[in-house]
Amino acid sequence: MRSVPKAVLLLAALALPIAAVLVSYALTDGPRTPHVPANVRIGSSPGPEPTQLVPAPSATNPPAELPPPPPDDDDDDDDDDNDG
C-alpha cells in the first residue's frame, strides 16, 4: 500500500464534518414558526389544572437531617516524614 500524505488526511478530517453540517443545513426547511394562540386570557393556561401541578401537603416528606461533616484536620505536623 502507498502511504497517504498527512495534508490529505488533515483535509479529509476537516472536510467531512463541514460537509455533513452543510448537507444537513441544506436539507432542513428552516426554523419552525412558533404557534401563537389567537386569544390570550390572563389567569388561564392550556396546560393541566393548577391543582394537578402541586402535590398534596400530606404527600411531602420533611427534609432528612444529615449528620455534621467531620472536622478538618489541618495538622501539618507529620510524624511519618523522613527528611533525611
Side-chain angles (χ1 to χ4, degrees):
M1 263 198 206
R2 195 175 75 162
S3 70
V4 179
K6 289 182 181 179
V8 174
L9 292 175
L10 179 64
L11 182 63
L14 293 175
L16 289 175
I18 292 172
V21 168
L22 291 176
V23 167
S24 65
Y25 181 74
L27 293 177
T28 59
D29 294 335
R32 291 184 287 171
T33 56
H35 173 69
V36 180
N39 295 328
V40 177
R41 285 185 241 150
I42 296 176
S44 66
S45 66
E49 294 295 322
T51 56
Q52 295 175 353
L53 296 177
V54 180
S58 61
T60 59
N61 294 332
E65 292 186 27
L66 299 175
D72 290 337
D73 186 19
D74 292 329
D75 188 14
D76 291 340
D77 196 19
D78 292 334
D79 294 329
D80 297 330
D81 287 347
N82 293 331
D83 295 322

